[in-house]
Amino acid sequence: MAEAVVSVVLESVRDFTIQEAKFLSGVSRQVEAAQTELEFMQGFLKDADARQGQDTRVQICVARIRDAAYDLEDIIETYGLKVDSKKKKRGLKNVLKRFACIFKEWVDVHRIGNEIENITTKISALRSSLQSYNIKEIRDRDSGGGESSMQLHERQGLLRRSYSHVVERDVVGLENNVEGLVMHVLKDENRHQVVSIWGMGGLGKTTLAGQVYHHKKVRQHFHSFAWVCVSQRCQVRNVWEGILFKLISATKEQKQEIKEMTYDEIAKKLFLVMKEMRCLVILDDIWHIETWNLLKVAFPNVETESTILLTTRNQAVASLPNRNVFLHKLQPLNENESWELLVKKAIPARAEIDLGMYRDLGRKMLQYCKGLPLAITVLAGVLVRKNSIREWERVYENVHEYISRGIGHEEEYGGVSQVLALSYDDLPYYLKLCFLYLGHYPEDSEFLVSKLTKLWVAEGLISLRQQRHGSRETMEDIARDCLSELVERCLVQVGTSGSTGTIKGCRIHDLVRDMCLLKAKEESFLQMQENTSSVAAEAEQLGKIRRLAIYLDEKADRLVSSRDETNGHVRSLLFFGLREWRPKNEKGLLSPLMDFTMLRVLKVEGLNEVKVELPSEIGNMVHLRFLSVKDSRIKTLPPSLGNLVCLQTLDCCVRNDYVVVPNVIKKMKQLRHLYLPWNYRVKGKLELSTLGHLQTLGGLSSKYCDLKDVGRLTNLRKLKITLSSSLQNLEEILKSTGSTLNRIRSLIFWNNSETNGRAEQAMQIVSSCRGIYKLRLKGPIAELPKELHNYPNLTKLELNNCGLKEDQMGILEKLPNLTILKLFEEAFEENTTKILVFSKGGFPSLEFLDLWGVDGITELRLEEGAMPRLCRLNIKCCLGLTTLPDGLRYLTNLRELTIARMSRELHGRIQEDGEDFYKIQHVPSLVMMAR
């Protein structure tokens, strides 16, 4: 991985010297020499990385090269930022003071120059050492399986493909398992309260559970469903809450009520719900019998129609003594099934290939996968990019080499570890660092792609040099391409997808994560900490620790350990578990973090149980690119934030009563994403016109911001506006901001007033955003823009308490590309709109319709030919409805229907023996949750 680190550092130094050359004038000669030495070093690092496992001397040498490269980057950037800061602060001084400053600056320049020269000398000596260890210079950096940057550029268009969040269809060898489990889950006589799927990691336990969970017969049999991932770090209360929220389709008020319950109260509540309702609960990935013993008190141990289906690697958990359990042991795929899966995954579109030529090699490699679908899938992710028999032979030779080197620590997982390691080594250098970064996410968690791409960019892992020639792609676009390639290589799994087909959420399999953490530790890339154990107390690692992910639980008494000499090297500090953490002492809680002076990333999200103060010393952390205190109870942002001139993402989206925001954000000219608090105060107006790189602006307030500033934000793509006061000269403002507003892709608009004038102003602004893909409106507006149907890109629309007039459905149903429509609470005028009509030919592209809390509606009418592509329909908490529309039977593409918390009369009519069941019996997945 030294190749990746040196390449990233080299690009960073090049970019910094180009952009900030005026601040490096005193040390430019030393910087240029260091740059040249890094370029010489690059040629040896591919061979050195590959030989680390065979020679300890090479391993030590590579670790020192990584550290030297990072140290060089830190010194150059620190010096450049210091010079920049001094020039800004410098004013009129008397002659003596000026001479004193000049002398001190000369001393600083001399010292920094010496430090750079020392590192350059060290790198040169390390290169000589590599040569003495017979490390070869390889100038073709992508030989042996990697892909060059130019090849990536040509393929980036292909990588922007859509991914549907659907059940895994490409399953092999599970068909009989699915049918057998469905039979046990549904049977009435001698039924089992618990069904256990047991097997080693990577066998497909979660995939099998998903097939059962989404099976048509299962969806029709049970009334309520819940799926929770338990994993190794089980928080019992969180699991109970997650199940209960889903089983009762909890409202915001109910969720808050449940959160305020004691352990005994929430356990009793869940017990009664599962006893009285017919529920299916999936507990995915339980590791320890102790975890089950903690959870089980909330599950009925008496006669009930509910079923628990769990997955585990532990036979003791699967057997569950003293419970009525059906145990299903999942077996590895046999040889023919393994080959069938490899062909499906590795040769999906090459029917003209003679499979006989590849079968022998494929079967030889498959023996190391031991029948595990995960390992076969990952191997296929390597082979799918190999277009000739010779390339397959090279992959096999690499697999054989891994075996001879004895990689893999446990006999059971040996072959799998080798296949996973092969998939990592096959990555081009620019993807290796991106992949290792995924290791900091908690086990079994789904991570947001939008946040991940910001973190990658902040860490310097993404470069505009990967941009296609002539394109206007942002670094975030390039980061998404990198993620798509990791998905294509089967190292990352797609979770949820957005309305435009983009990936919203991802996860990585446990075994892939284990491999990721092992590689990250070997490369000193990332370190995980339980609670606040010292960095130095961890097992020995070669090289300095640069990134920390800290997991806190109730045992922790502080965020980080006492001062540690290694803190000064850390670039990334990410906390997890803060939402449930309650420190003993709130005073100065964040102060110890200020010792991490080289931080580029600081994520302290969810400290909502205690009031915290952001210290003024935050202004000394001048290297910060990413700062998030989202959902933390912070009352004031210090003025020293203005010193953070490198900041790219600032997320202070907190829900306090009010947060005082200083007018210093204008100094952060590199800012790309800004999320302001929900409620904030500013002395005067918050100036934002200097933020020319800004792509996301959340929390623009008409009271504390000037809408004219938006006109200068030419890169803005996402905007959230709160209209809390009337705007003067709006037409003039819209003329000056029109071109920027027309480039907005996502618009969230909140109108906090019921006055007609403000509602009209809201629609005037919406009318200026004709390029939007997503539109969310909250608050009274009465009428939509008449030209809304001419918005070519609008695919997602959410209307919340808008009070629309009845005739507005005529505008909505003409939207040609709308795929998602959500109508919440008083979306329509409560006193006038009683019947909601979906006309023939209306909503031609709609795929998902969500009606929630629209109590004023007493009847739905659905004409034949309306919403022909609808596949998902949610109707929740619409208490005025007593029956479903007869037209539902015309929706032949409807695959999932959820009816929750409706009137007793309606729930009675849609049961299997009810008079309305014929309207919905064709729907494969029916979810019905009573009040």
Side-chain angles (χ1 to χ4, degrees):
M1 196 191 73
E3 179 196 19
V5 171
V6 168
S7 297
V8 167
V9 168
L10 190 52
E11 288 186 7
S12 172
V13 171
R14 283 171 182 158
D15 291 343
F16 195 82
T17 52
I18 292 171
Q19 296 170 16
E20 312 294 345
K22 58 186 175 182
F23 303 134
L24 298 175
S25 56
V27 294
S28 56
R29 178 182 57 80
Q30 291 91 335
V31 171
E32 186 177 337
Q35 203 171 305
T36 301
E37 189 54 53
L38 283 178
E39 289 169 349
F40 285 146
M41 176 66 81
Q42 268 187 309
F44 294 90
L45 292 179
K46 178 172 284 293
D47 191 31
D49 280 339
R51 296 261 301 276
Q52 284 189 80
Q54 304 171 41
D55 191 330
T56 305
R57 298 173 303 170
V58 175
Q59 187 179 17
I60 295 171
C61 198
V62 165
R64 290 175 178 170
I65 291 167
R66 283 196 310 264
D67 281 343
Y70 277 134
D71 290 344
L72 178 66
E73 184 182 20
D74 288 345
I75 290 171
I76 292 174
E77 184 174 288
T78 300
Y79 175 73
L81 291 173
K82 190 174 181 180
V83 172
D84 182 26
S85 175
K86 283 183 178 180
K87 288 190 175 182
K88 288 178 180 177
K89 291 178 181 178
R90 186 177 295 153
L92 293 173
K93 297 180 180 179
N94 62 46
V95 176
L96 288 177
K97 284 186 176 181
R98 180 67 189 125
F99 276 120
C101 288
I102 290 173
F103 178 74
K104 186 176 184 304
E105 288 173 8
W106 180 84
V107 172
D108 284 345
V109 169
H110 186 69
R111 177 177 57 82
I112 297 297
N114 283 341
E115 288 184 20
I116 296 173
E117 285 179 349
N118 289 339
I119 292 176
T120 305
T121 302
K122 182 188 294 186
I123 294 172
S124 179
L126 288 168
R127 179 163 59 88
S128 299
S129 296
L130 290 179
Q131 289 175 297
S132 70
Y133 302 148
N134 203 30
I135 298 298
K136 306 299 182 184
E137 183 177 17
I138 303 174
R139 276 296 161 190
D140 178 13
R141 293 185 215 161
D142 293 288
S143 62
E147 188 173 45
S148 69
S149 296
M150 286 306 296
Q151 288 173 307
L152 171 70
H153 300 160
E154 294 168 2
R155 297 181 57 256
Q156 282 180 334
L158 295 175
L159 292 175
R160 294 187 184 278
R161 57 180 61 173
S162 300
Y163 297 90
S164 300
H165 185 217
V166 296
V167 188
E168 176 67 54
R169 304 296 180 194
D170 195 18
V171 294
V172 173
L174 291 182
E175 297 85 352
N176 293 334
N177 292 278
V178 173
E179 294 306 319
L181 283 172
V182 168
M183 179 187 69
H184 282 284
V185 166
L186 299 183
K187 69 178 184 179
D188 294 323
E189 296 182 3
N190 301 320
R191 63 183 308 280
H192 301 94
Q193 291 180 341
V194 180
V195 175
S196 297
I197 302 175
W198 165 49
M200 67 182 290
L203 270 177
K205 299 184 296 296
T206 300
T207 299
L208 177 56
Q211 293 284 318
V212 175
Y213 187 73
H214 291 281
H215 197 281
K216 180 178 180 179
K217 292 179 180 178
V218 172
R219 304 306 285 190
Q220 292 174 343
H221 178 78
F222 292 97
H223 297 156
S224 294
F225 299 83
W227 181 303
V228 290
C229 292
V230 180
S231 72
Q232 289 176 287
R233 292 188 179 89
C234 173
Q235 298 287 334
V236 174
R237 185 183 180 96
N238 289 353
V239 173
W240 286 346
E241 286 182 1
I243 296 171
L244 198 49
F245 288 169
K246 293 169 185 174
L247 291 183
I248 68 173
S249 189
T251 62
K252 289 182 181 178
E253 293 75 17
Q254 288 175 317
K255 288 181 180 179
Q256 187 59 39
E257 181 184 335
I258 292 169
K259 285 182 177 294
E260 293 172 358
M261 289 180 176
T262 64
Y263 266 64
D264 289 344
E265 288 172 339
I266 192 173
K268 184 177 180 180
K269 172 79 171 174
L270 180 54
F271 185 99
L272 292 174
V273 168
M274 292 185 65
K275 179 185 174 184
E276 296 169 2
M277 298 171 63
R278 188 186 295 171
C279 309
L280 175 62
V281 175
I282 308 290
L283 299 176
D284 187 34
D285 199 20
I286 299 184
W287 281 67
H288 308 293
I289 191 67
E290 294 80 11
T291 300
W292 169 259
N293 290 335
L294 291 171
L295 292 171
K296 69 180 181 181
V297 296
F299 304 142
N301 55 358
V302 296
E303 190 65 30
T304 174
E305 292 186 87
S306 292
T307 298
I308 295 173
L309 190 154
L310 63 85
T311 71
T312 182
R313 304 181 187 189
N314 189 329
Q315 186 177 6
V317 174
S319 302
L320 294 183
N322 304 320
R323 283 275 179 163
N324 181 16
V325 179
F326 173 74
L327 190 155
H328 180 87
K329 183 178 181 181
L330 192 56
Q331 301 289 349
L333 301 181
N334 61 37
E335 186 177 355
N336 290 333
E337 290 169 338
S338 297
W339 172 247
E340 181 184 350
L341 181 59
L342 183 68
V343 170
K344 281 188 175 182
K345 296 285 188 179
I347 317 178
R350 294 188 228 147
E352 73 280 1
I353 282 182
D354 180 7
L355 291 179
M357 297 172 59
Y358 294 83
R359 186 174 287 113
D360 183 52
L361 277 174
R363 290 186 183 276
K364 286 180 179 178
M365 287 185 275
L366 282 171
Q367 65 180 309
Y368 302 121
C369 296
K370 298 190 175 181
L372 267 66
L374 171 70
I376 297 169
T377 300
V378 172
L379 175 62
V382 176
L383 294 174
V384 75
R385 311 166 67 80
K386 313 304 179 187
N387 299 314
S388 69
I389 193 72
R390 178 62 193 125
E391 288 179 299
W392 275 50
E393 287 172 349
R394 276 201 294 266
V395 174
Y396 172 64
E397 289 164 5
N398 287 335
V399 172
H400 185 73
E401 182 182 349
Y402 277 82
I403 299 302
S404 64
R405 277 159 45 187
I407 295 177
H409 305 287
E410 301 175 29
E411 183 178 344
E412 181 183 30
Y413 292 95
V416 181
S417 299
Q418 292 133 17
V419 172
L420 294 179
L422 175 65
S423 67
Y424 170 77
D425 283 349
D426 189 64
L427 293 175
Y429 79 86
Y430 59 85
L431 280 184
K432 285 183 177 177
L433 300 179
C434 292
F435 173 70
L436 293 184
Y437 203 81
L438 303 180
H440 79 263
Y441 286 108
E443 180 187 19
D444 289 325
S445 68
E446 182 170 310
F447 46 87
L448 288 175
V449 172
S450 59
K451 181 163 290 185
L452 172 64
T453 54
K454 295 179 181 69
L455 289 168
W456 277 351
V457 171
E459 288 275 5
L461 308 184
I462 305 297
S463 169
L464 280 176
R465 281 181 168 75
Q466 294 168 257
Q467 188 181 58
R468 287 179 293 182
H469 180 69
S471 75
R472 296 190 61 189
E473 291 174 313
T474 64
M475 286 195 285
E476 289 79 2
D477 293 331
I478 296 169
R480 283 184 173 273
D481 287 335
C482 290
L483 180 67
S484 295
E485 188 165 356
L486 289 174
V487 169
E488 187 184 63
R489 290 171 176 267
C490 302
L491 289 171
V492 174
Q493 301 169 342
V494 176
T496 53
S497 297
S499 58
T500 58
T502 55
I503 309 172
K504 288 185 67 175
C506 285
R507 62 177 69 245
I508 55 176
H509 191 279
D510 290 352
L511 292 183
V512 175
R513 181 175 180 269
D514 290 344
M515 182 270 288
C516 181
L517 288 175
L518 181 63
K519 289 288 183 182
K521 186 174 182 179
E522 288 175 356
E523 306 286 357
S524 297
F525 180 83
L526 169 70
Q527 184 169 288
M528 315 288 284
Q529 285 190 29
E530 298 284 348
N531 296 324
T532 54
S533 58
S534 170
V535 179
E538 294 288 328
E540 286 186 18
Q541 289 183 264
L542 287 173
K544 300 171 184 175
I545 301 302
R546 303 287 174 173
R547 296 166 185 85
L548 285 177
I550 299 178
Y551 291 80
L552 298 174
D553 59 24
E554 65 277 0
K555 298 176 185 177
D557 59 355
R558 52 192 168 179
L559 286 172
V560 293
S561 58
S562 55
R563 284 182 168 82
D564 194 304
E565 62 180 11
T566 59
N567 291 355
H569 306 305
V570 176
R571 292 181 163 212
S572 183
L573 192 55
L574 307 117
F575 290 92
F576 297 90
L578 294 182
R579 296 183 191 280
E580 297 79 33
W581 184 56
R582 291 166 179 79
K584 297 174 183 176
N585 187 4
E586 301 177 11
K587 188 175 181 182
L589 194 62
L590 300 182
S591 295
L593 306 185
M594 303 303 111
D595 291 341
F596 293 82
T597 53
M598 297 305 298
L599 279 186
R600 294 181 172 217
V601 170
L602 177 58
K603 185 172 82 72
V604 192
E605 298 179 349
L607 267 174
N608 52 15
E609 295 296 330
V610 294
K611 294 180 181 178
V612 291
E613 180 181 346
L614 194 61
S616 61
E617 289 83 3
I618 190 75
N620 298 330
M621 305 173 80
V622 293
H623 297 274
L624 271 179
R625 267 79 165 171
F626 180 100
L627 172 61
S628 178
V629 291
K630 182 182 179 182
D631 295 334
S632 296
R633 293 180 63 188
I634 291 176
K635 281 197 168 184
T636 303
L637 300 178
S640 60
L641 275 179
N643 296 341
L644 307 182
V645 294
C646 293
L647 208 60
Q648 298 169 352
T649 297
L650 174 60
D651 191 345
C652 47
C653 184
V654 299
R655 295 174 181 260
N656 297 0
D657 292 337
Y658 277 100
V659 178
V660 178
V661 177
N663 191 14
V664 297
I665 294 176
K666 59 186 176 183
K667 299 179 181 179
M668 306 173 186
K669 297 181 181 180
Q670 299 301 316
L671 212 56
R672 306 167 74 87
H673 309 279
L674 172 62
Y675 303 89
L676 292 166
W678 284 67
N679 301 297
Y680 62 91
R681 290 193 179 102
V682 181
K683 188 176 181 180
K685 293 278 189 178
L686 196 62
E687 297 175 49
L688 302 172
S689 61
T690 58
L691 310 181
H693 295 288
L694 204 65
Q695 299 173 30
T696 307
L697 174 54
L700 183 73
S701 166
S702 62
K703 185 175 182 180
Y704 292 111
C705 301
D706 191 339
L707 191 58
K708 286 182 180 179
D709 287 351
V710 174
R712 297 186 182 181
L713 309 182
T714 54
N715 287 296
L716 197 62
R717 295 297 178 265
K718 297 182 180 180
L719 176 63
K720 176 186 171 186
I721 301 179
T722 300
L723 194 60
S724 51
S725 62
S726 296
L727 295 166
Q728 304 296 322
N729 304 317
L730 180 58
E731 290 187 7
E732 181 183 330
I733 292 173
L734 292 178
K735 283 181 181 179
S736 63
T737 60
S739 60
T740 297
L741 291 176
N742 201 39
R743 286 192 287 267
I744 298 293
R745 295 295 175 259
S746 175
L747 176 65
I748 300 175
F749 203 109
W750 284 27
N751 181 14
N752 285 350
S753 172
E754 296 187 7
T755 60
N756 291 333
R758 222 179 273 180
E760 290 175 4
Q761 287 191 332
M763 289 306 95
Q764 281 182 274
I765 295 173
V766 172
S767 296
S768 299
C769 303
R770 292 176 175 268
I772 51 175
Y773 286 81
K774 303 174 186 178
L775 174 61
R776 179 181 174 191
L777 301 174
K778 183 172 183 180
I781 57 171
E783 294 185 357
L784 295 162
K786 290 183 174 59
E787 66 277 11
L788 197 64
H789 65 277
N790 290 326
Y791 286 29
N793 303 320
L794 188 58
T795 58
K796 181 178 181 180
L797 177 61
E798 180 180 317
L799 303 173
N800 190 333
N801 280 295
C802 293
L804 293 176
K805 295 179 180 178
E806 188 174 1
D807 62 355
Q808 296 299 290
M809 274 296 283
I811 294 178
L812 292 175
E813 64 184 10
K814 292 177 183 176
L815 296 173
N817 299 310
L818 192 69
T819 58
I820 297 177
L821 175 61
K822 298 184 178 184
L823 303 176
F824 293 162
E825 297 181 336
E826 295 178 25
F828 290 87
E829 282 184 317
E830 190 171 1
N831 297 326
T832 60
T833 308
K834 298 294 184 183
I835 302 174
L836 205 57
V837 180
F838 294 86
S839 305
K840 179 179 180 179
F843 298 104
S845 302
L846 198 67
E847 297 176 1
F848 175 42
L849 174 63
D850 191 3
L851 304 176
W852 192 92
V854 192
D855 291 340
I857 303 299
T858 58
E859 182 184 351
L860 291 178
R861 290 182 188 170
L862 206 160
E863 298 177 359
E864 186 174 2
M867 302 186 289
R869 298 177 60 182
L870 195 72
C871 53
R872 290 175 58 206
L873 173 59
N874 288 353
I875 307 176
K876 300 179 181 179
C877 303
C878 300
L879 302 180
L881 292 176
T882 57
T883 183
L884 292 180
D886 185 70
L888 282 176
R889 54 198 179 95
Y890 302 134
L891 300 178
T892 56
N893 287 313
L894 192 60
R895 293 291 175 264
E896 183 179 317
L897 173 61
T898 300
I899 307 292
R901 302 185 59 76
M902 305 289 282
S903 66
R904 292 183 183 275
E905 182 180 352
L906 187 146
H907 276 286
R909 295 173 67 99
I910 59 176
Q911 299 302 314
E912 288 191 30
D913 57 351
E915 54 193 295
D916 281 359
F917 185 70
Y918 76 96
K919 302 175 183 178
I920 59 174
Q921 63 182 355
H922 66 289
V923 182
S925 175
L926 295 174
V927 180
M928 292 176 278
M929 305 178 193
R931 296 183 65 192

